[in-house]
Amino acid sequence: MRIKELRTQRHITQLKMAMDLNMSQNTISRYENGEREPGIAELIRIADYFHVSIDYLVGRERSDTAP
């Protein structure tokens, strides 16, 4: 999962991301540490937030511009 990578590249804190997505900061931390997996609805919200595909978000594509 590329959540932390995307978040840090864009200089977004866990707290800001959590507030923007109406999630808890603890949930974002758990996603980033692999302690919890987001459901499909959360994957869609996170992918939309970063303007990437779900495949890119979960590591199935190398580039966020790939089709």
Side-chain angles (χ1 to χ4, degrees), residues 1-44:
M1 192 95 41
R2 293 181 165 138
I3 295 172
K4 184 174 184 176
E5 174 187 333
L6 289 165
R7 183 181 60 73
T8 57
Q9 283 175 351
R10 289 162 173 81
H11 307 287
I12 299 169
T13 65
Q14 285 183 348
L15 183 58
K16 173 158 176 36
M17 181 179 167
M19 291 174 67
D20 290 346
L21 294 174
N22 197 27
M23 296 178 178
S24 74
Q25 186 259 329
N26 189 45
T27 297
I28 301 299
S29 177
R30 286 180 167 194
Y31 290 161
E32 290 183 356
N33 292 320
E35 297 172 13
R36 185 174 176 184
E37 296 271 329
I40 190 68
E42 290 77 24
L43 284 173
I44 292 168

Side-chain angles (χ1 to χ4, degrees), residues 1-2 53-62:
M1 192 95 41
R2 293 181 165 138
S53 70
I54 292 174
D55 279 345
Y56 180 78
L57 185 64
V58 300
R60 292 178 43 112
E61 290 179 4
R62 288 212 262 273

